[in-house]
Amino acid sequence: MENKEILFMVLLYKNENFQVRAPYDLNILGKKMWQWVAMAGEDFDIKTTPCTFDSDIVSLVKPYVKNHKIVCVFYSDTPLINKSNVEEILDYFKYHNLNVLKLKRGYIFNAEYLLSCDNVLATENRLFDGKEFEAVDSYEDVYNVTKILQNLILDYHIQNGVQIIDKNTTYIDADVVIEKGCRIEPNNNIKGNTYIGENVILEPNNTIIDSIISKNGILKNSYVSNSRISENIIVGPFETIIDKNV
């Protein structure tokens, strides 16, 4: 089955436990909470629609079904869901030849069945285990999810040849790119669409936002935002560089 034959719906859930207008837009490591969910279906046809506790799922989703064969529906409050989880669920759904599969926070539909029904009568429930399927229902949950995702990001960079001295004091956003051979010392914050070239050394206490640090550079206790640092440059200590090429 071609990927575009699968519709991946993210329901933008307006959870009243959060005192903000759009809780699904809460920032977690440089991405909105719903965007983490959407990443699990990035190979499919992704659509989003707002919903509340009382929303009728069938009527919400039907208008988005075109030439799809399977419809995956996930809520925006499950940011730990990933591609492997979705693949496991889809394999189960196809193997058992189901019309509808009810999950902890979502559904999988046969598109033809969905278009023909007025409400959901799920004869098959499968509560897949694991923290990936737990809903974020409070700011404490947001904190715990952030810790989990941050560890995944840090481990990813370590496995790619980046030396991180202290994981507990290093903050790296999801879209940051760091080349091999870099050393990141304690208390570094790297945010936004930042690129760190090969063999860069980040001494303690730097903040880097939406910037390029070219290879062989050294940053010492400095703030760099929306800027580009050329190769072999030493910055700092105590430099502030904003909207500049150095």
Side-chain angles (χ1 to χ4, degrees), residues 9-22:
M9 289 290 307
V10 181
L11 302 181
L12 305 178
Y13 179 51
K14 297 180 179 180
N15 188 337
E16 295 181 358
N17 289 348
F18 295 95
Q19 302 303 310
V20 291
R21 183 177 62 84

Side-chain angles (χ1 to χ4, degrees), residues 136-153:
V136 171
D137 198 43
S138 67
Y139 283 110
E140 183 178 0
D141 291 341
V142 174
Y143 171 76
N144 291 329
V145 162
T146 301
K147 286 173 59 179
I148 292 170
L149 291 171
Q150 183 66 105
N151 273 322
L152 291 173
I153 291 170

